Amino acid sequence: MIERTLSIVKPDAVTKNAIGAILETFENGGLTVVATKMVKLTKAQAEGFYAVHSERPFFPTLTDFMSEGPIVVSVLEGENAIARHRELLGATDPAEAEEGTVRKRFGTNIERNATHGSDAPDTAAFEIGYFFNALELHRR
Ligand code: CMP
């Protein structure tokens, strides 16, 4: 099934100059970029994006981190894009991620883990709509 998923290159990976390498990994992995842009979130905007985690102990530091510098948000399209993207990212904790995955290559720790990917169709729909309107999503 052809799906769309939201991908974020987080502030740590932007600082590491890894935007190109990460997007290239997705393209080489069979996914197509149908929208992309660089934005800097406010703390409130980061809190809105991660609202589902608002009760977690790491919520304050996660939202500080996600608003500390620019991020690159993209919509990726392809066969089973949600699962494929998460496979390319690797485990949430870079220390547990498989060799060659994006988080293994560019992540620092479980919080500063270089990238985010939607985990299901309903979260993908919410997350894509959080950053992009219909005119910004391109058919390929
Ligand atoms: P992400 O895929 O963006 O989804 C939620 C984020 O919360 C996750 O990546 C990490 O950045 C962060 N996170 C998840 N678990 C922990 C944890 N145990 N401690 C700190 N941050 C975490």
Side-chain angles (χ1 to χ4, degrees), residues 26-37:
F26 300 150
E27 291 184 331
N28 289 343
L31 298 172
T32 297
V33 178
V34 297
T36 193
K37 61 186 171 188

Side-chain angles (χ1 to χ4, degrees), residues 7-25:
S7 179
I8 304 182
V9 180
K10 296 185 178 184
D12 58 330
V14 172
T15 300
K16 289 178 185 177
N17 233 9
I19 299 167
I22 291 173
L23 294 183
E24 182 179 43
T25 302

